[in-house]
Amino acid sequence: MIKLCNFKKETNTMKQVAPLRYDVIFKKAFSVPEVFNAFVRDFLNIEFEVDTVETDKTYTPAIGNVAAKFDLYAQDKKNRVIVDMQHVRYPDHYHRFLHYHCAALLEQTVKSRDYRPKLKIFTLVILTSGDKHKKDICVIDFDPKDLQGNPIGEIDHKIIYICPKYLNKELTPSKYHQWMEAIEDTLDEEVEESKYTLPAIQRVFKIIEKDQVTPEERAIMFDEYGEEEIKKEGFKEGLKEGITQNIHDTVLRMYKKGLDIKMIAEIAGIAKKQVNEILIKNK
């Protein structure tokens, strides 16, 4: 007797993509109005619809003494909203994007009859490489609050800092989950499409699919990667120098307190010869 077995064919849903940590890829995906609109609506819970998204937007003339440049910028005149989306991580990114946000506010105020801008201003900052505070979502809300923390509903402008790396399945609002997971998912250059149900996210994956990356875009990615490596090497060298200086200072402090060379070497974790060399240099 021959027993027939049915084998279910497994389908591979992994798609090879370019990582969204690269500036050129991020702009390629989110400058598409369909994607930009969906992301804004989900994160800001507002009516928003634009046909064009500007990249590397600047104001001419510049507002203030520092010219702000917006990665992605779109203005919905019907709903009277401006949204700026940024994603590059800097040591001062909280302050930098606050400055950019205020520049957009000032640009609007110049065109107003009083200090009330005609348009609401929102800035969304996507930190693809994480942040030292390790928070999933942080918000600068410009609306005044009473002493009990209740907003008065006078000012709509806000900045939202989004760190996909720190998505918390229990605490992060559920409407953000798929977006944050998808962005983080691209960083290893492959995504499992079946996990995502939002059409705009499926569109992102199609746009950044590796086969859709042009030679010009790939060259820019290589340049960005090279810059990242240089920064990492600089950080490592700085860290190494810092550790060396710290050991040097520790040895001198212990010597001044009367500890012998053997004890200093044991505490500092270095050889007695190195302790002697430090002491000789500082005679």
Side-chain angles (χ1 to χ4, degrees):
M1 181 178 178
I2 299 176
K3 186 176 181 180
L4 298 177
C5 297
N6 292 324
F7 293 95
K8 185 178 178 180
K9 184 178 179 180
E10 293 185 3
T11 57
N12 184 4
T13 60
M14 302 300 287
K15 181 187 285 288
Q16 302 301 305
V17 297
L20 283 167
R21 74 171 179 269
Y22 292 118
D23 189 59
V24 63
I25 301 302
F26 183 87
K27 290 175 183 174
K28 179 185 178 78
F30 284 90
S31 63
V32 174
E34 174 195 336
V35 173
F36 193 94
N37 289 333
F39 189 87
V40 168
R41 286 196 294 263
D42 286 342
F43 272 86
L44 294 176
N45 195 30
I46 60 174
E47 291 296 323
F48 190 82
E49 194 73 39
V50 296
D51 297 321
T52 304
V53 179
E54 297 181 64
T55 59
D56 299 322
K57 160 88 172 174
T58 57
Y59 291 128
T60 305
I63 306 297
N65 293 326
V66 179
K69 184 170 76 171
F70 305 95
D71 286 352
L72 297 163
Y73 180 98
Q75 180 174 323
D76 181 353
K77 294 182 179 179
K78 180 181 177 181
N79 296 302
R80 308 182 73 77
V81 172
I82 286 178
V83 173
D84 161 42
M85 194 183 296
Q86 305 278 358
H87 92 288
V88 178
R89 177 185 178 182
Y90 297 98
D92 61 350
H93 49 248
Y94 287 104
H95 300 274
R96 177 186 294 258
F97 297 126
L98 173 61
H99 173 86
Y100 287 8
H101 182 90
C102 290
L105 278 172
L106 289 172
E107 196 272 342
Q108 285 296 305
T109 304
V110 168
K111 300 176 182 178
S112 301
R113 292 182 179 179
D114 56 29
Y115 286 101
R116 292 171 292 187
K118 293 182 178 180
L119 303 175
K120 302 170 186 176
I121 312 292
F122 298 101
T123 300
L124 301 176
V125 182
I126 297 90
L127 301 168
T128 54
S129 56
D131 176 67
K132 65 180 181 180
H133 299 291
K134 298 183 179 180
K135 302 293 185 181
D136 52 351
I137 303 288
C138 290
V139 180
I140 298 178
D141 186 343
F142 286 72
D143 196 28
K145 317 282 189 305
D146 64 20
L147 293 178
Q148 288 69 49
N150 302 308
I152 65 173
E154 183 67 27
I155 299 176
D156 294 296
H157 320 305
K158 68 179 60 175
I159 306 171
I160 301 180
Y161 297 89
I162 304 160
C163 285
K165 185 175 182 178
Y166 309 119
L167 168 67
N168 186 310
K169 292 292 183 66
E170 295 180 0
L171 300 178
T172 307
S174 58
K175 62 182 178 180
Y176 303 158
H177 284 197
Q178 281 201 45
W179 283 107
M180 294 174 72
E181 276 192 88
I183 292 170
E184 181 69 13
D185 207 0
T186 69
L187 302 188
D188 65 358
E189 301 188 31
E190 64 177 19
V191 296
E192 187 177 343
E193 288 186 283
S194 61
K195 289 172 54 179
Y196 305 97
T197 59
L198 295 178
I201 291 178
Q202 293 291 335
R203 181 73 188 277
V204 168
F205 293 156
K206 186 174 182 180
I207 293 167
I208 66 173
E209 191 170 3
K210 280 193 174 178
D211 290 346
Q212 301 300 317
V213 177
T214 67
E216 292 77 15
E217 290 166 342
R218 196 172 299 280
I220 296 171
M221 285 173 61
F222 290 158
D223 289 343
E224 288 188 49
Y225 176 79
E227 290 173 6
E228 285 181 4
E229 290 302 300
I230 289 171
K231 288 178 183 177
K232 287 179 184 176
E233 286 301 314
F235 174 78
K236 289 177 182 177
E237 287 299 317
L239 183 62
K240 184 178 178 181
E241 290 176 10
I243 292 172
T244 302
Q245 185 62 44
N246 185 51
I247 292 173
H248 178 278
D249 294 342
T250 301
V251 166
L252 293 178
R253 282 198 301 271
M254 288 190 289
Y255 184 73
K256 287 178 181 178
K257 288 184 178 181
L259 275 70
D260 61 43
I261 291 175
K262 181 180 179 182
M263 181 64 72
I264 292 172
E266 288 180 6
I267 295 172
I270 59 177
K272 288 191 290 183
K273 180 181 177 182
Q274 289 175 275
V275 173
N276 281 318
E277 288 173 354
I278 292 172
L279 295 177
I280 290 170
K281 284 181 181 178
N282 286 271
K283 276 187 175 180

